[in-house]
Amino acid sequence: MYERIIMLIQLTLKNIALIEIIEINFEKGLNIFTGDSGSGKSLILDSLNVLFGGSNIPLNHLIRPGKEECLIEAKFSNSSQVTDWFLRNGFYKISGEIFVKRKSYIKNNKILSKYTINNFSISKKLLEELGLLLVDFAGQSDSVLYDNQDYRRSIIDDLGSKKLKTINFEIKNIWQEFQNLRKRRQDMMYSYKQKEKNNFAIKEMYKVLEEANLNSANEIFELQSKELRLSNNFDINNSIKLSLDNLNSYKNEAPSVSYLIAQSIKQLNKVVQFDSKIKDLNENLMNIQSDVENLIFALTEYSEELENEDISLEEIQKRLFYLQNLERTFSLELPKLILKKDELKTFIDTNLFEEEIKKLDIQINDSQANLNTLFEIQSFQRRKTANQLQDSVISILKNLGLENADFSINFSKVTPSSEGNENIDFLFSANPDQKLAPLSKVISGGEMSRFLLAIKSSISQKSNTFFLDEIDNGLSGKSLHSLVDLIKLTAQERQVLCITHQPFLAATGNTHFKVKKNVINGITFTSITELITKKERQNELIELIGGGFSEANNYASRLIDRAAA
């Protein structure tokens, strides 16, 4: 059990169906609602259902006639379970009491709704999920849930052991991995089939690119640079020769740069001892001499490279034309052509494909084997939990007057999924000569009410608010006493809101509300009043009993005294 009970503290309804405005403050334990048939008691249940995205009140009847908008707001206490849910869903700033609000309004002849939690917007889907943590409904309309396979499975899993929960978590993770592997294999096979269709064209394209000997993404730029240099080879050689003559030739009548620098250094050396500045200047001149010598060496080396060029201008132009023609043919620049060649190599490499498929098949088979083992453990744990639930429900049903009732939880193999490889069916029989069958096909309204209480009492591990809508309908005598005892026991562990017409049950409530319908000037109003004094409660019990005669008055008084004892 969670360390703190989730409790509905307050419910505010404004312009909802027959209700103009009411505010209900709830208490711990058993909260009783009584009133005449048609007074609007079920509107409370239905309003909570609608607050959490339900449809118990049709949308076109939700807003009170003559009004443009309506409001449903509920205040709940918090718990660690709900706080964890908030954190998982991105609501990091919610702490303390929880305020859930639905505001519906008419716009352009349509009814629109806005949902908030503590003034933070929330989607209807998330609110429905939160509602399962905060309020647990048990009315005859709740029976449709038991026709849902996911709901039946969730009952067993929530009630199951820690080991079952761990197994379920592992199965979901491995199943996701298993599906991803199968998807990868499927995509790869599709890719391979498409590849086979276009294989000839692909191989031809790869052959052309392979024969092109494409190695450098900058080859065209490099060839263009060589082409420019070789096209102007004569002018380049002539300019370098003249430059070298000016820098270092002794053949010209005019002295060279090297000669003039050397002579200048020689002259400065004669007077360097007379002034330190001359020494510095002379060192600068020697540095210039070194730079000139390096320049002469570089020009000479470049001139030799030109003379020893190993490729002709014609060959360069031919290769350049070939590469540029490839770019035009495939509408791709050279760097992308090189990447394309590598892609095509991988594409036509069937050995690589086959190896990848083999690896995936091994991983898929391993995952499948792992899942099969976990499915067996999961089935064992679920069946163990189901047997315990069966025994508990049957025992409670017998106490509630269904001595001949039988309840069975059956398992049947189905196509595996992330939830397991078995369907779970709830089968019921009220009489010995009646075969076990799905609930919706064989159970009556009164039987369903008792069944719902029996199963919810058996699976009551959650600490949320429990709402019972006329669950005592059709019961009397020993069965009614057993039902009341069970509800009282449940109310010790969690908050219970109960709509009833039975004075015996109504007398046991910790808090008692009377719902009343009034017609004023042709307009119907539903109101609610908390009955605080013993006299107020006694008068209401007398109405439930059926009259103001003395025996009814005495019986009502005894019921209240017995409940208070």
Side-chain angles (χ1 to χ4, degrees):
M1 191 176 160
Y2 294 100
E3 78 279 3
R4 186 176 178 185
I5 293 175
I6 302 170
M7 191 179 88
L8 175 59
I9 300 171
Q10 186 180 82
L11 177 66
T12 301
L13 306 176
K14 184 178 180 181
N15 295 329
I16 299 292
L18 300 178
I19 298 170
E20 185 174 35
I21 183 167
I22 60 173
E23 182 178 286
I24 311 170
N25 294 297
F26 299 94
E27 300 293 339
K28 295 180 181 178
L30 180 57
N31 293 252
I32 293 291
F33 295 84
T34 58
D36 294 336
S37 297
S39 60
K41 299 185 300 299
S42 292
L43 273 178
I44 300 163
L45 171 67
D46 294 339
S47 295
L48 279 172
N49 169 272
V50 168
L51 174 62
F52 290 103
S55 56
N56 281 13
I57 304 176
L59 197 60
N60 58 337
H61 293 152
L62 181 62
I63 300 177
R64 183 174 172 81
K67 302 296 181 181
E68 295 295 318
E69 62 180 31
C70 66
L71 173 71
I72 307 172
E73 183 173 15
K75 178 167 70 171
F76 291 87
S77 61
N78 208 334
S79 75
S80 60
Q81 182 192 20
V82 178
T83 299
D84 289 344
W85 185 91
F86 283 139
L87 294 176
R88 288 197 308 272
N89 289 281
F91 295 93
Y92 303 110
K93 296 183 179 180
I94 295 180
S95 60
E97 294 176 338
I98 306 164
F99 294 85
V100 185
K101 184 187 297 185
R102 172 177 177 164
K103 183 178 180 180
S104 299
Y105 53 94
I106 300 173
K107 185 176 182 180
N108 298 329
N109 294 321
K110 292 183 179 180
I111 298 178
L112 306 177
S113 296
K114 180 180 180 183
Y115 303 90
T116 60
I117 298 179
N118 292 35
N119 294 323
F120 293 103
S121 293
I122 184 172
S123 69
K124 181 180 178 181
K125 183 178 179 181
L126 274 181
L127 195 60
E128 288 173 352
E129 187 179 318
L130 176 62
L132 296 176
L133 296 178
L134 297 178
V135 182
D136 190 359
F137 297 103
Q140 292 182 18
S141 61
D142 193 37
S143 61
V144 296
L145 285 173
Y146 292 89
D147 289 333
N148 183 282
Q149 177 62 223
D150 292 335
Y151 185 71
R152 294 194 296 269
R153 187 187 298 116
S154 70
I155 289 175
I156 301 298
D157 289 344
D158 288 345
L159 192 60
S161 64
K162 185 177 181 180
K163 183 174 182 179
L164 175 57
K165 292 176 173 60
T166 301
I167 291 294
N168 290 344
F169 181 77
E170 289 182 27
I171 286 174
K172 282 182 170 61
N173 287 338
I174 296 174
W175 181 264
Q176 184 62 51
E177 178 187 339
F178 176 66
Q179 293 299 104
N180 290 340
L181 289 170
R182 292 178 63 184
K183 179 69 165 57
R184 278 177 57 192
R185 191 186 192 284
Q186 182 182 354
D187 291 345
M188 189 171 287
M189 290 300 298
Y190 176 79
S191 176
Y192 177 72
K193 289 177 181 178
Q194 291 298 112
K195 175 171 49 177
E196 286 299 302
K197 290 180 182 178
N198 303 310
N199 210 26
F200 177 78
I202 289 170
K203 285 182 176 179
E204 287 299 308
M205 183 178 181
Y206 176 73
K207 182 181 178 182
V208 171
L209 295 178
E210 180 68 15
E211 290 175 350
N213 193 26
L214 306 176
N215 297 313
S216 171
N218 296 319
E219 186 178 0
I220 288 179
F221 174 76
E222 292 166 356
L223 288 172
Q224 288 173 334
S225 297
K226 284 185 177 182
E227 180 189 32
L228 182 64
R229 187 172 67 241
L230 290 177
S231 298
N232 297 279
N233 193 38
F234 176 80
D235 292 336
I236 293 172
N237 274 320
N238 191 47
S239 295
I240 290 175
K241 183 178 179 301
L242 290 173
S243 297
L244 287 171
D245 288 343
N246 290 331
L247 291 170
N248 197 34
S249 175
Y250 296 94
K251 299 177 183 179
N252 296 337
E253 295 180 0
S256 67
V257 172
S258 296
Y259 174 79
L260 293 173
I261 292 174
Q263 289 300 312
S264 298
I265 292 172
K266 184 178 179 181
Q267 292 298 322
L268 289 176
N269 279 334
K270 293 178 181 180
V271 294
V272 72
Q273 71 273 20
F274 302 131
D275 192 341
S276 60
K277 287 185 178 181
I278 295 176
K279 183 181 177 180
D280 294 338
L281 293 171
N282 196 38
E283 288 178 356
N284 289 341
L285 194 55
M286 287 189 286
N287 290 333
I288 293 172
Q289 184 183 44
S290 176
D291 290 340
V292 170
E293 289 172 354
N294 290 335
L295 178 59
I296 291 169
F297 177 80
L299 286 170
T300 303
E301 187 177 46
Y302 181 76
S303 179
E304 291 173 354
E305 287 177 2
L306 287 177
E307 292 176 2
N308 297 322
E309 186 70 65
D310 59 353
I311 186 169
S312 68
L313 177 61
E314 182 182 356
E315 290 173 317
I316 288 174
Q317 289 175 334
K318 184 178 179 181
R319 175 67 175 172
L320 187 57
F321 175 79
Y322 176 72
L323 293 178
Q324 290 173 333
N325 190 51
L326 272 182
E327 288 186 325
R328 287 190 294 271
T329 299
F330 296 108
S331 300
L332 292 172
E333 294 181 353
L334 184 59
K336 291 185 178 179
L337 281 175
I338 294 173
L339 291 175
K340 189 68 176 178
K341 183 192 72 169
D342 295 338
E343 289 175 9
L344 294 176
K345 185 178 186 304
T346 302
F347 194 84
I348 64 175
D349 192 344
T350 56
N351 291 331
L352 181 63
F353 168 81
E354 290 171 359
E355 288 175 9
E356 189 67 25
I357 286 291
K358 286 179 181 177
K359 288 180 183 178
L360 282 175
D361 284 341
I362 291 171
Q363 289 177 291
I364 288 170
N365 291 335
D366 288 346
S367 293
Q368 182 70 72
N370 202 356
L371 281 170
N372 289 339
T373 301
L374 291 173
F375 284 150
E376 289 182 11
I377 301 172
Q378 181 189 58
S379 178
F380 175 80
Q381 292 292 327
R382 280 176 170 171
R383 289 169 187 263
K384 181 179 176 181
T385 301
N387 288 334
Q388 295 170 350
L389 179 57
Q390 279 179 190
D391 294 343
S392 175
V393 170
I394 291 172
S395 175
I396 294 173
L397 287 174
K398 291 186 184 302
N399 289 332
L400 295 179
L402 296 174
E403 292 84 0
N404 297 317
D406 192 12
F407 171 61
S408 178
I409 302 176
N410 283 10
F411 291 77
S412 57
K413 294 293 182 183
V414 292
T415 303
S417 71
S418 61
E419 300 296 338
N421 66 346
E422 292 178 314
N423 270 348
I424 300 174
D425 293 303
F426 286 6
L427 306 179
F428 180 80
S429 169
N431 303 299
D433 57 346
Q434 185 183 49
K435 290 183 179 181
L436 286 164
L439 291 169
S440 59
K441 295 184 178 180
V442 297
I443 199 166
S444 67
E447 291 165 350
M448 177 55 82
S449 295
R450 282 173 278 181
F451 171 80
L452 290 174
L453 183 58
I455 195 166
K456 286 178 180 291
S457 298
S458 299
I459 65 176
S460 179
Q461 292 185 336
K462 297 186 292 185
S463 57
N464 55 358
T465 295
F466 197 15
F467 208 133
L468 307 174
D469 185 11
E470 299 187 12
I471 206 159
D472 52 4
N473 190 26
L475 295 184
S476 60
K478 182 181 177 182
S479 300
L480 179 60
H481 280 259
S482 297
L483 175 76
V484 172
D485 288 341
L486 185 56
I487 292 175
K488 286 168 64 179
L489 184 63
T490 303
Q492 292 176 11
E493 300 291 330
R494 60 201 292 196
Q495 184 189 45
V496 178
L497 314 181
C498 182
I499 296 174
T500 183
H501 289 283
Q502 287 283 359
F504 184 63
L505 175 56
T508 63
N510 301 100
T511 308
H512 191 154
F513 298 96
K514 178 179 176 62
V515 181
K516 189 175 181 180
K517 181 172 70 174
N518 299 298
V519 178
I520 303 174
N521 297 326
I523 301 175
T524 305
F525 295 86
T526 290
S527 61
I528 187 166
T529 305
E530 182 179 356
L531 307 179
I532 298 175
T533 66
K534 179 182 177 181
K535 186 64 176 176
E536 290 174 333
R537 297 187 66 183
Q538 186 173 332
N539 289 338
E540 178 62 11
L541 293 183
I542 291 171
E543 287 190 28
L544 293 175
I545 293 167
F549 48 91
S550 60
E551 290 84 354
N553 187 42
N554 293 334
Y555 180 54
S557 180
R558 286 199 306 273
L559 287 177
I560 294 174
D561 292 339
R562 183 186 302 170

